[in-house]
Amino acid sequence: MAALLVVRGLAAAVVAAFCFMSPPPVEGLVRHYKFNVVMKKVTRLCSSKSIVTVNNKFPGPTIYAREDDTVLIKVVNHVPYNVSIHWHGIRQLRTGWADGPAYITQCPIQPRQSYVYNFTITGQRGTLFWHAHILWLRATLYGAVVILPKLGVPYPFPTPHKEMVLILGEWWKSDVEAVINEATKSGLAPNVSDAHTINGHPGPVQGCLTRGFSMPVQHGKTYLLRIINAALNEELFFKVAGHKLTVVEVDAAYTKPFNTDTIVIAPGQTTNALLTADHGSGKYAISASTFMDTPIVAVDNVTAIATLHYTGTPSTTPTSFTGLPPQNATPVATKFTNSLRSLNSKQYPAKVPLEVDHSLLFTIGLGINPCKTCSSGNQVVADINNVTFVMPTISLLQAHYFNINGVFTDDFPANPPIRYNYTGKQPSNLHTMSGTRLYRLAYNSTVQLVLQDTAMIAPENHPIHLHGFNFFAVGSGLGNFNHKKDPKKFNLVDPVERNTIAVPSGGWVALRFRADNPGVWFMHCHLEVHTTWGLKMAFLVDNGEGPEESLLPPPNDLPKC
Ligand code: C2O
């Protein structure tokens, strides 16, 4: 933890990260990391439990690399759970075997087994993160990925004095696997977490006045905050009392800089923002609080508080707080999302597909199915185009690569099988179908994907994450997508580029991407509870021509099921 508590300069960060390795960092290096997955006893909210960690650290270690580097991470499983790790947002060009979602691109790493994730970082720079991609282990198994620009290439914004990773999470006092297992048995929703965390700490809460995370700053200096939402089930508002933030990058893609006092960040999203320490002295609250605008849910978990601490300020000085947006402050969220634009400079052009080969409309939402084995008699489910995705028992990528029949079908519906007023009154007996169905794309084909929220049970904001690609968010709106009128308003010039998009509650977003990465790519809601309920599917992208456009063969140590 000590290493995470220290504000690091860019140079210092590189030295700190690589001081155990030789040779010193140069461009296009091979970086080796070792992740020992081990149990560790941790105390939060004045209560202790054993959690799954990497190298006894919580949050886990930061992976540092430069654009063009190859990263090899040996993951050794010393815990009694099956484990897999996903490098969230890394494109994994032709290296789907290293993507990490269990039963999608690999079988999990079983206890006492290991696996080396091997990938090259191409065309990306900024902040991403890694997390477990099996069960609910990512509650504590997560850490930052910092991709520095190539050596000698500056940031497209003023060089910060120092940089700081701020990784937001959630803390349950009880065992998280028990929480979701209980819920699955009953068929109902699981408990929400007890508190949010910033770099693993909730901060002082009533009845447990432990110190939170503290970030030292010097008057007059500018800092780059690398903010990551690693929470399981909640979108968050992020604020620093008394300070403005300038957003410069999201999901490892540069944006046009813009100023804001509140950042909205969904699970799976990352945001880089500049903060200038323009006060003389003092202590200022850094807060992470819930954004939840579905009409039927209010959550009561504790807001995480960290401190921005000006050097020289006595620790007895009271902290300045700021008002938090109400939990259901949709306008604050909308204003923030509407401000995001790709940088779209000469050096970093926004390559938005202008022609569309596949035009897809996917409804996303919840549902209720009868359930004989559930104690409540029913089961909350979730679906895309009315398909509740069923996980296979061997990985889809292996089934695809080795032509194993009977694992999946490639008939995922391109449009909702039943058309109705998606955001209006819902048909009363619309149950979902189950299936392991994929949507097949030719190499290099272009896709327009409209994600349409439904009001089934209730409308809700869903952060949808696509593996293997970045997409451009070319349009969004409330209500039902209108295929005649809405495309006329699409931004095909400088739409924001990202890997996770929050589909507005009772609304839609339109995405475009090019299928230039052969393999099997998971797409799901990054609210873990919705993934569990089935809000997931996968794209199968065929090989193109020749080895440069084909999936690499699987590594020898690929785990077996
Ligand atoms: Cu960050 Cu499939 O997940």
Side-chain angles (χ1 to χ4, degrees):
M1 193 169 66
L4 270 167
L5 290 168
V6 176
V7 178
R8 292 165 170 168
L10 185 53
V14 175
V15 172
F18 300 117
C19 59
F20 303 109
M21 287 166 248
S22 55
V26 291
E27 209 171 292
L29 262 190
V30 180
R31 316 253 184 213
H32 292 269
Y33 283 86
K34 180 144 184 218
F35 276 20
N36 282 309
V37 181
V38 290
M39 301 302 296
K40 180 189 166 70
K41 200 176 155 205
V42 168
T43 304
R44 292 292 185 274
L45 302 172
C46 294
S47 121
S48 303
K49 66 170 181 176
S50 201
I51 62 167
V52 185
T53 69
V54 164
N55 301 348
N56 276 305
K57 287 185 175 170
F58 173 69
T62 298
I63 298 276
Y64 289 92
R66 281 187 191 279
E67 185 183 343
D68 284 350
D69 286 351
T70 296
V71 186
L72 274 79
I73 305 128
K74 181 171 186 178
V75 177
V76 190
N77 183 0
H78 301 281
V79 300
Y81 301 98
N82 283 347
V83 167
S84 79
I85 307 262
H86 169 49
W87 317 94
H88 179 116
I90 300 275
R91 294 264 347 253
Q92 300 289 6
L93 290 165
R94 301 172 55 220
T95 53
W97 307 107
D99 192 37
Y103 303 107
I104 305 296
T105 57
Q106 67 166 98
C107 295
I109 309 167
Q110 295 174 22
R112 295 178 300 280
Q113 305 289 308
S114 67
Y115 179 46
V116 179
Y117 290 89
N118 180 349
F119 54 86
T120 300
I121 299 169
T122 308
Q124 297 181 280
R125 66 306 283 173
T127 307
L128 294 171
F129 72 122
W130 57 265
H131 62 77
H133 211 306
I134 184 166
L135 307 168
W136 276 28
L137 295 186
R138 76 177 175 90
T140 57
L141 213 48
Y142 62 78
V145 175
V146 171
I147 310 167
L148 303 168
K150 294 181 211 183
L151 262 190
V153 177
Y155 292 132
F157 46 82
T159 306
H161 172 60
K162 282 181 177 170
E163 306 191 0
M164 172 60 90
V165 167
L166 294 173
I167 190 158
L168 317 178
E170 282 182 88
W171 186 264
W172 277 258
K173 283 191 199 167
S174 31
D175 179 86
V176 180
E177 295 306 324
V179 169
I180 183 57
N181 288 341
E182 280 294 299
T184 306
K185 274 190 208 133
S186 69
L188 305 172
N191 290 344
V192 298
S193 62
D194 294 293
H196 297 293
T197 55
I198 299 176
N199 287 352
H201 294 273
V205 304
Q206 236 184 6
C208 182
L209 297 175
T210 45
R211 279 185 51 196
F213 178 79
S214 179
M215 168 176 172
V217 292
Q218 275 174 351
H219 164 73
K221 302 274 201 249
T222 297
Y223 298 81
L224 179 66
L225 308 183
R226 297 178 177 272
I227 307 156
I228 301 162
N229 187 346
L232 259 80
N233 292 326
E234 280 175 36
E235 304 195 12
L236 295 168
F237 291 120
F238 175 92
K239 286 185 89 166
V240 183
H243 292 77
K244 278 240 176 297
L245 300 160
T246 306
V247 174
V248 291
E249 179 238 297
V250 295
D251 296 4
Y254 293 129
T255 62
K256 291 197 172 68
F258 74 94
N259 296 332
T260 181
D261 57 10
T262 309
I263 282 172
V264 184
I265 187 163
Q269 295 185 326
T270 56
T271 303
N272 278 9
L274 297 168
L275 173 144
T276 299
D278 50 10
H279 293 267
S281 66
K283 286 162 65 187
Y284 297 86
I286 305 173
S287 56
S289 65
T290 305
F291 165 49
M292 172 81 81
D293 66 351
T294 186
I296 59 161
V297 186
V299 297
D300 57 356
N301 41 18
V302 171
T303 295
I305 301 287
T307 314
L308 192 74
H309 193 141
Y310 280 73
T311 37
T313 306
S315 53
T316 49
T317 304
T319 304
S320 307
F321 285 87
T322 174
L324 300 174
Q327 195 172 105
N328 62 353
T330 312
V332 178
T334 311
K335 183 171 175 236
F336 179 83
T337 357
N338 288 348
S339 307
L340 289 168
R341 293 278 180 285
S342 277
L343 179 60
N344 192 28
S345 64
K346 207 164 167 200
Q347 199 176 0
Y348 303 103
K351 293 182 186 153
V352 190
L354 299 178
E355 312 279 319
V356 170
D357 299 321
H358 296 259
S359 185
L360 311 176
L361 175 65
F362 287 3
T363 57
I364 54 172
L366 308 180
I368 293 188
N369 286 355
C371 169
K372 286 208 191 75
T373 57
C374 302
S375 55
S376 71
N378 286 306
Q379 181 181 30
V380 186
V381 292
D383 67 280
I384 304 181
N385 273 354
N386 221 30
V387 181
T388 294
F389 190 87
V390 176
M391 293 303 269
T393 49
I394 68 159
S395 87
L396 298 173
L397 193 59
Q398 285 165 287
H400 161 58
Y401 188 84
F402 295 107
N403 288 309
I404 302 167
N405 283 328
V407 179
F408 65 83
T409 54
D410 64 0
D411 59 350
F412 191 88
N415 285 287
I418 299 160
R419 299 195 179 225
Y420 68 99
N421 178 1
Y422 308 116
T423 52
K425 191 171 179 320
Q426 302 292 298
S428 55
N429 49 8
L430 184 64
H431 298 313
T432 66
M433 313 169 264
S434 323
T436 309
R437 298 165 73 178
L438 276 55
Y439 191 90
R440 190 169 212 126
L441 295 166
Y443 181 83
N444 228 10
S445 55
T446 53
V447 181
Q448 175 174 298
L449 170 59
V450 176
L451 296 168
Q452 171 72 60
D453 184 34
T454 76
M456 195 60 83
I457 300 187
E460 182 164 354
N461 187 311
H462 294 280
I464 303 294
H465 171 49
L466 175 61
H467 289 227
F469 302 94
N470 283 350
F471 48 70
F472 293 95
V474 297
S476 70
L478 290 179
N480 298 336
F481 175 70
N482 182 314
H483 71 279
K484 288 211 182 75
K485 280 195 230 143
D486 289 322
K488 294 193 181 117
K489 290 175 277 179
F490 282 176
N491 173 5
L492 301 176
V493 179
D494 62 354
V496 68
E497 177 180 354
R498 51 190 336 168
N499 63 57
T500 305
I501 188 87
V503 180
S505 189
W508 56 271
V509 294
L511 314 175
R512 285 197 185 181
F513 66 96
R514 179 175 294 278
D516 56 358
N517 193 7
V520 173
W521 304 107
F522 206 20
M523 188 177 81
H524 59 93
C525 182
H526 218 280
L527 305 179
E528 199 60 38
V529 58
H530 292 174
T531 311
T532 305
W533 287 342
L535 213 169
K536 49 194 169 184
M537 58 81 67
F539 288 99
L540 193 172
V541 180
D542 281 312
N543 286 337
E545 279 163 35
E548 289 304 305
E549 296 181 356
S550 299
L551 175 67
L552 290 166
N556 289 330
D557 62 341
L558 187 72
K560 297 196 173 42
C561 279

